[in-house]
Amino acid sequence: MDLIDTHCHLTFKGLAGDVAAVIERSRAAGVTSWITVGTDPEHNRKAVEFAERFENMYAAVGIHPHDAKTVTAGILKELRELAQHNRVVAIGETGLDYHYNHSRPQEQVRAFVSQLKIAKDLNLPVIVHCREAFDETIGILEQHGSGVRKVVFHCFSGSAEQAKIILDKGFYISFTGVVTFKNAKASREAAQVVPMDRLMIETDCPYMSPEPMRKQKINEPALMIHTAAFLAELKGMGLADFAEAVTATSRAFFGLPSADVAGFV
Ligand code: NI
């Protein structure tokens, strides 16, 4: 099995110091490629470093909505430069988070729109973080997203109705271990309406370990196998078929080669 963790934060505390062992355990579990996602200038640089260093690892670079208030012209300039690195496969994570509001809504909107522009100019897909800002996020994508190659709503925990709106726009949906939680009935209903050619999976580690490992404080890519098995069963598929389909969708979305080994430099 060759699953891709399409959204992990391997540069974060709890994982970065031990990353070689984290990758080893992941490989042993059948999760053999990773997209490590930056959230601020420091983690963006580190994500690219990791992607250079490890086989089958790629980076996404972006400024998280929490950090939108820190965005300056200089930061955007660096982001644009870093995004042109050959191991960078997406812009993100970016978007809107009106749950925490660590940055003001207008700062979040400005940072989001600026990153959509970079993605459009560089022909990169976008990883969207959306929390308690569904209508606003869709609105911005409609207004400023034309010309953006592809969009995924990461860590989706909305309803089937919201999933249908996302699918109607031609966007993709990615599920974390949240879908395995007992109280996540809405997410499971949503997963049932997402066809396999629009569905991806991720850990969003170090956060949100899936059941039955929810007690493991620091989530890691190896545990994504539980999310894969859970969703396969939910969709009435064998795990191998599910893995093949979800990996094909992820490779196509991010434009990853089918195997990185030969081309790795
Ligand atoms: Ni994330």
Side-chain angles (χ1 to χ4, degrees):
M1 205 163 9
D2 281 306
L3 288 163
I4 303 171
D5 185 348
T6 63
H7 189 119
C8 49
H9 299 290
L10 298 177
T11 63
F12 280 21
K13 221 174 123 209
L15 294 170
D18 200 22
V19 70
V22 166
I23 287 170
E24 220 28 67
R25 289 195 289 275
S26 181
R27 278 207 183 101
V31 182
T32 55
S33 300
W34 311 267
I35 296 170
T36 189
V37 178
T39 51
D40 64 20
E42 189 197 329
H43 285 288
N44 288 335
R45 277 179 228 126
K46 222 167 154 188
V48 172
E49 255 176 63
F50 275 20
E52 282 176 334
R53 198 180 336 153
F54 298 103
E55 209 177 284
N56 294 321
M57 190 179 294
Y58 303 88
V61 292
I63 309 294
H64 195 284
H66 291 342
D67 294 301
K69 59 175 176 277
T70 66
V71 169
T72 59
I75 282 177
L76 291 171
K77 185 169 176 275
E78 191 200 353
L79 183 66
R80 184 181 282 271
E81 282 164 11
L82 208 52
Q84 293 173 59
H85 190 285
N86 65 355
R87 302 298 291 181
V88 171
V89 294
I91 295 295
E93 56 186 287
T94 178
L96 303 176
D97 192 315
Y98 291 174
H99 177 73
Y100 288 108
N101 276 317
H102 288 327
S103 293
R104 290 202 304 269
Q106 60 269 39
E107 293 165 330
Q108 296 189 37
V109 168
R110 203 180 313 136
F112 187 19
V113 170
S114 301
Q115 290 176 80
L116 287 175
K117 168 100 173 71
I118 293 173
K120 200 184 313 180
D121 292 348
L122 301 180
N123 197 27
L124 286 169
V126 177
I127 300 170
V128 170
H129 170 111
C130 167
R131 187 150 182 206
E132 289 177 27
F134 186 76
D135 295 344
E136 294 88 340
T137 302
I138 293 285
I140 286 176
L141 287 167
E142 276 175 344
Q143 211 184 325
H144 300 277
S146 71
V148 172
R149 189 149 69 92
K150 284 174 183 140
V151 172
V152 59
F153 277 63
H154 109 90
C155 192
F156 185 73
S157 56
S159 63
E161 195 189 328
Q162 289 177 335
K164 281 180 191 157
I165 293 169
I166 292 171
L167 294 170
D168 277 349
K169 304 276 172 216
F171 305 148
Y172 291 63
I173 294 179
S174 177
F175 292 94
T176 59
V178 167
V179 75
T180 69
F181 296 175
K182 277 199 178 64
N183 61 1
K185 188 165 166 269
S187 298
R188 284 189 281 280
E189 286 166 3
Q192 269 159 332
V193 305
V194 184
M196 287 308 294
D197 62 356
R198 297 285 195 87
L199 186 147
M200 296 194 275
I201 55 174
E202 58 173 289
T203 54
D204 205 14
C205 62
Y207 314 114
M208 286 176 300
S209 298
E211 293 288 5
M213 304 300 288
R214 198 171 170 184
K215 287 206 187 86
Q216 182 167 319
K217 270 217 181 89
I218 297 176
N219 190 13
E220 60 178 71
L223 300 189
M224 197 180 75
I225 195 69
H226 299 290
T227 306
F230 184 93
L231 281 170
E233 198 182 327
L234 186 77
K235 288 188 156 291
M237 296 171 78
L239 178 56
D241 287 344
F242 176 86
E244 199 182 318
V246 79
T247 294
T249 301
S250 307
R251 286 200 188 288
F253 182 90
F254 290 104
L256 309 184
S258 58
D260 194 35
V261 182
F264 189 73
V265 284

